[in-house]
Amino acid sequence: MGTEGENVRVIAGRYRLDARIGRGGMGVVWRATDQLLGRQVAVKELAFDTSLSDEEARLQRERTLREARAVAQLSHPNIIVVHDVVVDDERPYIVMELIGGGSLADRISADGPVDAREAARIGIDLLGALGRAHGAGVLHRDLKPANVLLEADSDRVVLTDFGIAQVAGATTLTESGSFVGSPEYTAPERMSGVRTGPESDLWSLGALLCTVLSGESPFRRDSLGGILHAVVVDDIRPPAQAEPILPVVRGLLERDPDRRLDAAEAARLLREFLDTGRTPRVPTGAGYTPTQRDVPRAQALHADAPPRQEPEATPTAATAAQAARHSRRGVLIAAALVAAMAGAGVSAAALLMHKGVDGGGPGPTSSRPRTSVSTGPSRPASSSAGRPSSTPTPAPTVTVTRSSVTAGAHKAPSGYGLAQDANGFSLAVPEGFTRVPQGERIFYMSPGQIFRIGIRTADPAVGGPLAVMRHADTKGPSTNPGYRDGRVTETTHGDHPAALWEFTWNGFSTAEGPRHTYDLCWEEGGRMYDVWVSAPVGKVREAKEYFDVAVDTFAVS
């Protein structure tokens, strides 16, 4: 609500500041009158740090004006129109169109979260705005619900406040350790000061989508130190309300900016959801293939070879350089946390005691995946998903073909091979995975056993898949060290009753580290089938794709 009559004055001989309508860390926003053109406008009076020297203040003012003029060149229906940039009494002002309506934050506060369709609509409009800005070399750097306006008459989504009061290229953490910006919506690489690019704005959009769907940022904590720890280190748990567009949210909240979902693909997936009403699938063929850098181009899988542990790959110059980059990033993230905790009066050592900071940080741990044929793992309690037994049995012959080979209606996507198993089933597995039979269970493992796809067949059990999975969940702490966050969901696989089990655990050794498991169990043709995927918590995005492909292409011979 504006304050009429307070400090009414005219700036630049033209703009009369009529009422204050907003205040924030960047300054004050006024409803004003352009007396030359006779129209209502919004004027942002930018605040500056009074502790700066005259020369520092001059440089900051010049950089701010330069960036404001760059934003003024942008033309997009979802970007605020900047009419003018003026200086009055050595203070810069940004003159913008006046939007009749509140912010997205106001809407959430007054009416609560929005549904998935509205969130997708908002997301598409913001992606269009960001795409236009990024194409012109302009970064937003402070994308959050408070900086998104909703026009009252048209429900137009308008992105405002393009980090105008921040110095271009500045890091998020100042030299004193205090925080500049909105930490709940700031990407990990900006926290560390490693880089700031278009990908950082896309991370912020992912956090914003979680907020509009649930009413709260997934990184909200009670302190600055807690927020920084949540962004950089903690498992990322999108809210349950994000399930209809979960692939988009997970893709945007990918900690590694090089693997983050790009704007064009995110917009395509959201449009697919609006058009079909179904959860979009990240394609595994040509186009956006986020997992391909982690899937070695395969040698064919030969099941008649004796089961063996895959040797570690010899590091190449490229992988060595990548490891060096990750190492530097880990050091910088740790340093950023220490600086931020010191500024907030929080012990970084205490917060990091149970989590290592590595190159990518632990990736997003999924919230419940969609309960459909393509999601859902589960396994009988007698099995331990992802852990091969110590005594392998002789391997039956398995032929894995290239992705062009089909089995009935099933086809292996690009980058996968179709495994025809002598045990009476087939499924698509990533090229380069090795088949390792372990008694009644069959494993397909990536080099080093980082990713493990497991399959088990058995006679039907009393109570069906749901009872089996609930029993497995109950036994989880005894079968999987550090078992936590177990969830069992009743679902279907095709027309067959099924149950989905998902959980996180500590792995079978310290070296292996925390893992996440997806597990689907169902009955079909008088048999019970169980398919699961186990992977490090930092690689659940790839694991989810492998799991979806395995379940979707699974066929009984």
Side-chain angles (χ1 to χ4, degrees):
M1 179 178 296
T3 303
E4 300 288 350
E6 180 182 339
N7 298 326
V8 174
R9 65 187 190 276
V10 176
I11 61 168
R14 174 176 177 177
Y15 302 104
R16 187 182 71 236
L17 308 184
D18 297 322
R20 191 179 65 213
I21 57 177
R23 179 186 293 275
M26 312 285 267
V28 177
V29 180
W30 301 84
R31 186 174 71 247
T33 301
D34 180 347
Q35 296 181 125
L36 179 63
L37 298 180
R39 65 180 176 183
Q40 293 291 295
V41 294
V43 174
K44 186 168 192 175
E45 178 182 0
L46 298 174
F48 278 98
D49 187 349
T50 57
S51 67
L52 297 176
S53 68
D54 291 344
E55 178 63 16
E56 289 170 334
R58 183 187 67 80
L59 292 174
Q60 185 174 6
R61 182 168 58 250
E62 289 179 356
R63 286 191 291 262
T64 298
L65 291 173
R66 186 163 57 247
E67 183 171 274
R69 293 185 182 107
V71 175
Q73 302 305 309
L74 301 178
S75 177
H76 190 276
N78 300 114
I79 294 178
I80 193 79
V81 175
V82 176
H83 296 308
D84 200 358
V85 180
V86 299
V87 176
D88 189 271
D89 193 22
E90 296 188 348
R91 183 178 295 274
Y93 295 81
I94 312 299
V95 183
M96 304 170 288
E97 65 173 319
L98 182 65
I99 302 295
S103 70
L104 185 55
D106 295 334
R107 173 172 173 174
I108 296 170
S109 177
D111 303 326
V114 306
D115 61 21
R117 293 191 65 84
E118 177 67 357
R121 182 187 76 85
I122 292 170
I124 290 170
D125 287 349
L126 291 178
L127 284 164
L130 290 174
R132 175 67 184 91
H134 294 164
V138 177
L139 306 179
H140 192 283
R141 295 179 295 184
D142 196 21
L143 179 58
K144 60 184 178 181
N147 287 339
V148 177
L149 303 179
L150 299 176
E151 197 168 50
D153 296 336
S154 65
D155 221 15
R156 171 184 164 218
V157 176
V158 182
L159 183 57
T160 187
D161 276 358
F162 274 77
I164 287 175
Q166 289 185 353
V167 177
T171 59
T172 304
L173 296 174
T174 67
E175 290 180 358
S176 64
S178 60
F179 197 89
V180 178
S182 307
E184 292 179 34
Y185 299 93
T186 301
E189 64 271 16
R190 285 197 63 211
M191 291 283 194
S192 67
V194 171
R195 61 190 273 189
T196 297
E199 302 86 4
S200 300
D201 282 344
L202 295 176
W203 168 283
S204 302
L205 178 59
L208 180 145
L209 289 175
C210 290
T211 300
V212 301
L213 284 163
S214 68
E216 184 176 84
S217 163
F219 306 108
R220 178 162 297 176
R221 299 294 188 273
D222 294 334
S223 67
L224 173 60
I227 293 171
L228 293 175
H229 189 262
V231 170
V232 178
V233 177
D234 276 349
D235 291 347
I236 300 173
R237 301 182 183 282
Q241 297 92 327
E243 184 173 337
I245 57 171
L246 196 55
V248 177
V249 171
R250 283 181 177 163
L252 295 175
L253 293 180
E254 163 63 53
R255 278 195 171 98
D256 182 351
D258 291 327
R259 297 177 55 76
R260 198 164 294 153
L261 193 63
D262 63 40
E265 184 64 11
R268 187 194 69 77
L269 293 172
L270 290 176
R271 289 193 187 96
E272 179 183 330
F273 168 71
L274 287 181
D275 291 342
T276 66
R278 295 191 297 272
T279 301
R281 292 285 305 278
V282 175
T284 55
Y288 180 71
T289 53
T291 65
Q292 289 310 300
R293 72 172 62 187
D294 289 335
V295 180
R297 303 312 298 172
Q299 43 205 32
L301 306 183
H302 296 291
D304 52 351
R308 60 186 175 88
Q309 175 77 29
E310 287 290 314
E312 293 293 330
T314 301
T316 63
T319 58
Q322 184 181 43
R325 288 194 301 270
H326 285 179
S327 176
R328 288 193 298 272
R329 182 171 182 267
V331 170
L332 287 168
I333 288 174
L337 281 168
V338 170
M341 305 310 173
V346 177
S347 168
L351 288 174
L352 294 175
M353 188 175 296
H354 69 289
K355 290 277 190 179
V357 180
D358 58 18
T365 296
S366 69
S367 92
R368 179 173 303 170
R370 65 186 187 282
T371 53
S372 68
V373 56
S374 62
T375 51
S378 168
R379 81 180 173 268
S382 60
S383 69
S384 194
R387 181 182 189 178
S389 64
S390 58
T391 308
T393 56
T397 300
V398 174
T399 302
V400 178
T401 62
R402 290 285 179 176
S403 59
S404 59
V405 178
T406 62
H410 300 277
K411 183 176 180 179
S414 176
Y416 290 73
L418 195 67
Q420 299 278 8
D421 201 286
N423 286 8
F425 59 83
S426 64
L427 77 165
V429 299
E431 296 174 0
F433 277 41
T434 300
R435 183 183 186 277
V436 181
Q438 302 284 347
E440 62 185 0
R441 295 171 296 159
I442 304 297
F443 285 86
Y444 287 90
M445 300 183 181
S446 68
Q449 300 188 7
I450 295 172
F451 296 94
R452 303 196 281 263
I453 302 173
I455 307 99
R456 180 180 183 271
T457 61
D459 292 327
V462 176
L466 185 61
V468 169
M469 289 302 96
R470 285 176 174 170
H471 181 62
D473 179 47
T474 301
K475 300 288 289 182
S478 63
T479 58
N480 295 83
Y483 179 87
R484 58 192 180 275
D485 302 327
R487 295 185 294 276
V488 175
T489 305
E490 185 175 15
T491 182
T492 59
H493 177 57
D495 297 326
H496 310 293
L500 169 64
W501 183 25
E502 182 183 352
F503 60 92
T504 302
W505 51 298
N506 288 346
F508 291 115
S509 68
T510 302
E512 185 173 67
R515 298 181 69 83
H516 196 77
T517 297
Y518 298 100
D519 195 353
L520 182 70
C521 180
W522 74 94
E523 290 183 2
E524 179 177 355
R527 296 286 289 169
M528 180 172 286
Y529 295 91
D530 191 15
V531 176
W532 66 90
V533 172
S534 169
V537 294
K539 295 183 177 293
V540 294
R541 185 174 172 191
E542 297 97 307
K544 182 61 166 54
E545 179 184 339
Y546 295 167
F547 173 71
D548 285 346
V549 171
V551 171
D552 287 350
T553 60
F554 190 93
V556 179
S557 302

